[in-house]
Each structure stands twice: as C-alpha cells, then as structure tokens.
C-alpha cells in the first residue's frame, strides 16, 4: 500500500504555532534578563530565533519575549487578533534581527513562522471572548505584579556590577522607579545600568500599552438571556417542559441561548474561563435537538471555546455524543420522588417520621403555595430571608438552580415555608415568623424541581426534612405527581463502595469521596436524599477529550459558585445577618442546596 506523507493537520497548526511562539518568547526573556544566558551554548542556538539580539538589545528582546508569551495562548485558541499581532511582530523582529546581527538564519526562521501563519490563516478565525472594562484593571494588576517579579530578577542578575550591598527594599524601590522611567537607588558599573534601566522601562511600557488597549477597545459584554429569548424558552417549556426536570433552570438570566433553525429547540449556556458550558438537556422537541446542538457547536468553534455539557440525562447524553462525537461520563444521580408512592410509614422512614413529629411538637407549622398566591409583603419577607440565610457570599448554582425568588414571570413556582410564633414577650424577627424556606420550579404541568433550601440558623435542626415532607404531602392538592430533589455526585460509587463484597478499587474510590466530603458535601447530599427513598436518575457530563476535563471541572466550579475569582474576603463587607449565617454542623446545613 502506498504511503502518503502528510503535513501537519490543520487543527494542529494553532497548537504548534502557539508552542513555537511560547518557546521563542521564553528564550527572548532569558536573553534579556540573564546575562550568563547570553554567553551560553543555549544562547548560541537561541540568538538566531526571531526577536533575540543578545547583549545589544536586551530591553527589546525582553519586550518581544513578553509580547510573544501574551500572544501564544491566543494563537493556540485560534484567535484572529492574536494572529494579526503575530503577523505584525514577526517581520518587525526579523528586520531588527537583520539590522542588529545581520542574521540571515533568524530572518528565515521568522519568515517561515510568518508563512505558516499566512498559509493557515483560515484556522485563526476565532472571535473575541466576552469582555468588559474590568479586564483592563485585571491586566494592570497582573502585569504589574509579574513585571515587579521579573524586574527583581533583572536587578539581581548583575551581581558583579552592583556597587555596594543593597537590601531587598532598595531592589524593590529600584524596580518601581524603573517601571516609570526613573533611576533607582542602586548603582551599577560599566553598561549594566543602561541594560537594567532600559529593561525595566520596557516592562513599564508593556504595562501601560496593554492596559490602555484593553481600556479603550470596544466592549463585548457577557451574553445574557434577552427578553425575546426568555419568551421563546417559556413557550418551549410550556409544550415540552415535562421531559427534563432541569428545563426550567434554562431561564437563568446569566445564560444565553442558541435555537435550532426551526425554533423548536434550544440550548442554553454560559461561558466561563473559555469553556462553553451547557446545562441539562436541550429545551424543546427532541426531533429538533440536533439543530440546536449544531448551532451550539458552531458558536463554540467560532469563538474557540471548549464545549461541555453539565448534568444532561441519559437520553440527552446519547443525542449529544451521537451528533457531535463528544464523550460522556456519569457525573452522579438525581433523586426523584414519585408522589403517589411516597409515605412516612414503614421502618425505612422511621428517622424522618420521628424528626418531623418532634419538630411539629415544638410548635412549627408549614405552608406550601404557589408564588403567585403569596401577598407581596410576605413574598418580600421570604426573598430577604432567603438572601440573608445564604451560607455563602455568592449565590451558588448554575445547572440546577434558578438564582432568584419571586421575580415577575415566576408565579408558577412553588414555595414551602416553616413558621413558628415568637415566644410571649419576645420582639418579632425581621422576617416575621418564617424560619425556613424551600423553593421549587415547575417540571412540566405535574412536577416540580427543588431549587434552594434556606433556614434560620437559630431554628431547630431538621427544617429541610420538615419542608420536604410537607411539600410531598401537599403535592397531590397542587396537581404534582413527581418531585425532583437534590443532585448527588458520584452516588453510585458511594452506594456500591459501602456494600459487602466491594473490591479494593471501589472501596478506595469511596474513601476518597468521603475524604473530599469534608469540603464538598458529596456524601452528606447522598445520605440526605436517600432518606426519602427516591428513584435515582443518572446525570452525565459531556466533553470533547479527557484532557479537557480538569478545565471543564474548574469552569463548572466557577459557574456553580464554589470557586470565585473576585476580591479577597477582607475587602468585601458583609451584613450582620450574613456574618451569623455560616455553615454549621447540622444535617441541613447550607451545602444541602440544589447544587452539589
């Protein structure tokens, strides 16, 4: 059989170019920062690369290196603007290479990389990511910190030419002065002072130019659910909402939507750290799902986002993998209770039954109603209570949480509340007699799906059990036949690992999950859900390649609110109520919310 030699696959070109640019950038920085590197055997090879001029232009070498490193990631992600910048920078570097060193090899290497970029220019067509003016501030902070660190290396890399013995404070002061173009307190012999000064000045220019560029470029805000898209999604949910218990969560305001060409199906998503996260199954007619999925994948390709789906059903996972070639992995199980089969009688429900009766004897009563049936004053108290009783500074949830309570248009949701009158002579609380709140969203016309669970930390333990039982008991009167409770990650591994005869691998996996439950309530959610004897519906994560899983996992944790990249807690103010609502050791702590 004839063997055909092929060049690099087109989809591999961005990665190869990005890797080459990263290598060149690192060598340029080393040539500009470390004097010994400029006299080593490695530099004799590196100096022919574009942008490297050895001791004659250390500052320019450093500038080119930093800029190439900034462009490398964008080239790997096929970003059009990164391609344009590299196309400009490479010939400039080649020209400077020839002027300073008369290096024909350096020019040829630069032109070879430039030719590779031009030949495969269609591969670098990804659109910019959503951004805001805050990116300029983030760039200023990060590049300033990085430049200070690199500047300390530059200042300390000429020990034989430093006059005197400056301490760390003098070195830091010299760096800060150099970044803004002034001479610092450290003196150098020979020409090292010029090299250090120009290098620090180059870093300062990089900080200024990149920050100004990010501040002045057109703003592309993060996608939000428009009013038109919300109307279309609600119409799809009215017709097909019974298919997926997570369908109503597509109405979160921080999600965007792509629709099939026929408009009969849609996929909602959010972009986090370059990952395009869809949640649950597509909304609408199953026959139209492939069209919506195709639009989703086209959008991901256009922006060079990593596509992923969190929490889809088995049917949804089969369609996603069939239509896109992606892979699926079981993420956990959703607890679903069939209302006609629920009963507090029997040995299996004894603990729940006893807890509920004990709480009722302590004077608690419950109410289960639709949001639209509540008086505005009571709804406002419930909303304030739910916000103040939140155990975290940020609202958690993405794939299995709505993120709001009682807003216009959500009158078909359900609210279960626990009440207890204040003791005689005691002043009423800020929320009246409300002690706990459960919020459910519709699941078709005959189901509801648990959204959030909040309670007063001063209330008796067991509020969540009380309200779930009250909701299941009141469900028939509301026309509800099925209720979706919490999602339990890796539920099957925990269940099988504790059974008799489990192998060492399964027991070890369960042990790791139990250990991780100290920070992520994996085991506690499973045990809490199991109290109500539900049936378990598996949920899956859909991904492109195994190497994408860590990135997808980190993005999902950001979206769900478990990882925040905002200001440290010391710089944020919390209300007195929030400061007293930290997680406690009770079974119904805030971690037993909808999201795992």
């Amino acid at each position: 059989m004839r063997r055909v030699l092929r060049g690099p696959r087109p989809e591999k070109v961005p990665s190869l170019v990005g890797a080459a640019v990263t290598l060149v950038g690192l060598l340029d920085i080393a040539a500009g920062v470390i004097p010994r590197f400029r006299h080593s055997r490695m530099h004799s090879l590196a100096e022919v690369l574009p942008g490297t001029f050895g001791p004659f232009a250390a500052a320019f070498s450093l500038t080119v290196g930093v800029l190439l490193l900034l462009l490398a990631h964008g080239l790997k992600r096929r970003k059009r603007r990164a391609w344009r910048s590299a196309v400009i920078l490479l010939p400039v570097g080649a020209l400077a290479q020839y002027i300073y060193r008369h290096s024909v090899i350096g020019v040829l290497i630069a032109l070879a990389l430039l030719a590779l970029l031009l030949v495969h220019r269609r591969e670098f067509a990804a659109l910019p990511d959503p951004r805001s003016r805050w990116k300029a501030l983030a760039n200023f902070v990060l590049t300033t910190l990085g430049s200070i660190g690199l500047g300390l290396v530059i200042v300390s890399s000429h020990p034989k030419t430093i006059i005197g013995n400056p301490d760390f404070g003098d070195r830091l002061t010299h760096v800060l002065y150099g970044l803004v173009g002034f001479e610092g307190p450290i003196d150098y012999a020979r020409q090292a002072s010029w090299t250090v000064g120009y290098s620090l000045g180059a870093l300062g220019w990089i900080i200024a130019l990149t920050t100004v560029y990010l501040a002045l470029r057109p703003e592309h805000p993060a996608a939000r659910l428009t009013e038109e898209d919300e109307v279309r999604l609600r119409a799809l949910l009215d017709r097909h909402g019974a298919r997926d218990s997570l369908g109503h969560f597509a109405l979160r305001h921080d999600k965007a939507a792509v629709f099939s060409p026929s408009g009969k199906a849609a996929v909602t998503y959010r972009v986090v750290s370059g990952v395009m996260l869809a949640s649950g199954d597509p909304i609408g007619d199953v026959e139209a799902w492939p069209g919506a999925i195709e639009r989703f994948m086209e959008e991901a390709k256009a922006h060079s986002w990593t596509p992923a789906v969190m929490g889809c059903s088995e049917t949804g996972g089969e369609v996603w993998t069939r239509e896109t070639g992606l892979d699926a992995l079981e993420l956990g199980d959703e607890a679903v209770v069939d209302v006609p089969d629920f009963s507090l009688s029997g040995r299996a429900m004894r603990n729940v039954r006893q807890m509920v009766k004990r709480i009722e004897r302590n004077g608690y009563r419950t109410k289960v109603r639709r949001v639209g049936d509540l008086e505005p004053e009571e709804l406002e108290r419930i909303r304030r209570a739910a916000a103040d009783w939140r155990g975290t500074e940020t609202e958690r949830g993405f794939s299995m949480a709505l993120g709001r309570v009682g807003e216009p248009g959500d009158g078909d949701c359900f609210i279960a509340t626990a009440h207890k009158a204040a003791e005689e002579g005691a002043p009423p609380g800020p929320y009246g007699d409300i002690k706990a709140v459960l919020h459910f969203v519709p699941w078709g016309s005959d189901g509801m799906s648990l959204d959030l669970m909040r309670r007063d930390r001063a209330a008796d333990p067991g509020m969540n059990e009380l309200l779930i039982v009250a909701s299941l008991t009141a469900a028939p009167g509301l026309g509800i036949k099925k209720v979706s409770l919490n999602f339990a990650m890796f539920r099957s591994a925990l269940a099988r690992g504790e059974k008799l005869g489990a192998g060492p691998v399964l027991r070890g996996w369960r042990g790791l999950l139990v250990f991780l439950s100290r920070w992520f309530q994996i085991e506690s959610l499973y045990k809490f859900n199991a109290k109500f004897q539900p049936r378990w519906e598996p949920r899956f994560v859909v991904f492109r390649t195994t190497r994408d899983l860590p990135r997808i996992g980190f993005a999902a944790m950001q979206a769900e609110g478990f990882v925040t990249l905002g200001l440290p807690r010391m710089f944020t103010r919390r209300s007195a109520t929030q400061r007293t609502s930290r997680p406690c050791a009770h079974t119904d702590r805030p971690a037993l919310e909808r999201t795992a």
Side-chain angles (χ1 to χ4, degrees):
M1 186 175 184
R2 184 180 177 184
R3 182 181 179 185
V4 180
L5 297 178
R6 302 181 184 273
R9 295 172 60 186
E11 62 269 20
K12 296 293 185 180
V13 171
S15 297
L16 292 176
V17 172
V21 169
T22 300
L23 177 61
V24 172
L26 291 174
L27 291 174
D28 286 348
I29 292 175
V33 172
I34 307 174
R36 293 181 180 179
F37 179 83
R38 297 198 292 269
H39 302 286
S40 65
R41 292 183 179 179
M42 178 63 71
H43 183 260
S44 64
L45 300 175
E47 64 182 359
V48 299
L49 295 176
T52 303
F53 310 116
F56 299 101
F60 190 82
S61 177
L62 180 65
T63 303
V64 172
V66 173
L67 292 176
L68 288 177
L69 286 182
L70 293 176
L71 292 176
H73 182 64
L75 290 172
K76 289 181 180 180
R77 295 186 60 201
R78 304 186 296 107
K79 292 299 182 180
R80 187 69 177 178
R81 291 188 176 181
W83 178 86
R84 291 173 180 171
S85 300
V87 167
I88 294 174
L89 185 61
L90 284 174
V92 171
L95 179 62
Q97 179 81 303
Y98 185 77
I99 291 175
Y100 280 98
R101 296 191 54 80
H102 305 288
S103 173
V104 177
I105 297 179
V107 173
L108 292 178
I109 292 178
L111 294 179
L113 284 174
L114 179 62
L116 187 64
L117 287 172
L118 293 175
V119 170
H120 297 280
R121 60 186 178 277
R122 294 183 179 178
E123 292 296 316
F124 301 89
L127 301 175
D129 291 340
R131 58 180 181 263
S132 67
R133 302 300 184 200
W134 290 105
K135 290 290 183 68
L137 177 60
N139 174 82
F140 176 77
V141 173
L142 294 178
T143 53
T144 299
L145 293 176
S147 297
I148 290 175
L150 193 56
L152 289 173
V153 175
I154 294 173
V155 169
S156 304
S157 61
H158 302 75
K160 295 182 179 180
T161 60
I162 295 178
I163 299 175
N165 187 24
D167 57 14
F168 178 80
D170 293 332
R171 296 171 190 266
L172 180 60
T173 302
H174 194 87
V175 171
L176 295 177
Y177 275 55
L179 291 178
V180 295
F182 294 98
E183 293 185 5
I186 301 179
D187 294 324
Y188 294 87
R190 298 188 295 275
Q191 296 182 350
S193 178
W194 292 94
T195 302
V196 172
Y198 282 128
S199 298
L200 293 177
L203 291 176
W205 274 107
I206 291 176
I207 296 173
L209 292 177
T210 55
T211 301
V212 170
Y213 166 74
L214 293 174
L216 297 181
R217 67 177 179 172
E219 186 174 5
H220 289 254
R224 297 286 179 176
L225 193 66
T226 64
E227 293 183 3
E228 180 184 355
D229 289 344
E230 184 174 351
V231 170
R232 297 176 67 183
L233 287 174
R234 288 187 182 275
L236 293 177
L237 289 171
D238 289 340
R239 294 192 295 269
H240 306 281
R243 217 216 59 79
D244 186 14
S245 64
L246 309 185
H248 200 86
F249 300 125
L251 299 177
R252 286 180 63 100
H253 292 159
D254 59 355
K255 291 183 179 180
V258 289
F259 291 84
S260 64
S262 65
K264 295 182 179 180
V267 175
T268 58
Y269 68 92
R270 180 180 170 191
V271 179
V272 182
S273 298
V275 178
M276 191 176 182
L277 282 174
S279 58
D281 291 344
I283 308 300
D285 188 356
V286 177
E287 297 297 327
W289 282 8
I293 291 174
E294 183 179 0
R295 288 283 181 87
F296 176 88
M297 297 301 292
E298 289 174 353
E299 190 77 5
K301 183 178 181 181
H303 292 269
S304 190
W305 291 330
T306 301
V309 185
M310 299 296 298
C312 65
S313 67
E314 188 170 1
T315 301
E318 290 175 353
V319 177
W320 273 101
T321 55
R322 184 184 69 234
E323 297 295 328
T324 63
L326 302 178
D327 291 328
L329 179 68
E330 185 172 342
L331 187 61
D333 294 89
E334 176 188 12
V336 178
V337 178
D338 294 312
V339 174
D341 299 333
F342 177 76
S343 174
L344 281 177
S345 61
R347 182 177 180 85
M349 298 296 296
R350 182 179 62 179
N351 291 337
V352 176
R353 182 173 63 250
Q354 291 176 350
M355 178 176 290
V356 170
K357 289 182 177 180
R358 176 181 58 79
I359 296 175
E360 290 176 342
R361 286 195 299 267
N362 289 342
Y364 288 89
R365 55 189 178 87
T366 60
K367 296 180 182 179
V368 182
R369 295 156 289 175
R370 289 187 181 270
V371 171
D373 297 333
L374 293 171
E375 295 295 331
E377 295 79 7
E378 184 178 9
L379 178 58
E380 180 59 27
R381 289 198 303 270
I382 292 173
R383 293 177 62 179
R384 288 191 290 109
D388 291 343
W389 291 339
R390 186 174 62 222
T392 58
E393 295 180 358
T394 57
E395 185 74 51
R396 287 185 175 178
F398 163 70
S399 57
M400 301 178 185
L402 188 60
R404 60 182 186 264
V405 176
E407 291 190 6
D410 295 333
D412 53 351
C413 294
F414 303 87
I415 280 187
T417 52
H419 304 260
K420 184 179 181 182
E423 297 180 0
E424 186 176 354
Y431 319 111
D433 60 352
I434 300 174
K435 299 300 179 183
V437 176
L438 262 61
H439 186 256
F440 296 85
V441 299
W443 175 11
S445 59
D446 62 350
M448 60 184 186
S449 187
L450 181 59
D451 174 26
L452 61 82
M453 300 191 294
R454 304 280 166 79
R455 72 174 183 89
D456 186 351
R457 296 294 162 252
D460 293 353
M463 288 291 102
N464 291 332
E465 287 89 339
L466 172 68
L467 288 182
I468 287 179
V469 170
S471 301
L472 293 171
T473 304
L478 298 172
I480 301 300
K481 298 180 180 178
K482 53 186 178 181
V483 177
S484 171
L485 300 180
N486 294 293
F487 171 74
M489 291 186 65
F490 309 115
R491 195 275 316 176
S492 58
L494 290 170
R496 293 196 302 265
E498 63 184 357
K499 290 184 177 179
L500 182 66
V505 176
L506 191 56
R507 290 199 303 269
W509 175 227
R510 181 184 181 277
L512 177 60
L513 293 176
V514 172
F515 175 76
L516 294 176
S517 294
R518 298 180 180 181
W519 298 275
F520 306 98
Q521 284 71 35
I522 301 174
E523 185 184 28
S524 58
L525 275 171
Y526 159 56
K527 290 185 175 180
F528 178 83
N529 293 334
K531 293 180 181 180
F532 304 98
Q533 302 298 307
R535 57 181 170 89
W536 299 100
E537 297 290 340
R539 290 281 172 174
F540 298 83
V541 55
V542 178
F543 56 97
R544 185 168 51 190
T545 62
T546 304
R547 63 176 178 270
D548 288 339
L549 283 176
R551 185 179 180 186
I552 293 172
F554 183 72
M557 293 181 71
Q558 286 180 264
E560 297 288 358
F562 288 98
V563 175
T564 56
L565 301 181
L567 291 174
R569 181 176 298 179
M570 67 181 68
F571 297 108
T572 58
R573 296 185 62 183
R574 303 176 63 189
S575 65
T577 309
Q578 287 176 309
R579 287 194 296 268
T580 59
S581 60
R582 298 190 61 79
C584 59
H586 297 312
T587 303
D588 52 350
R589 55 186 178 271
L592 296 180
E593 293 177 1
R594 175 75 196 186
T595 53

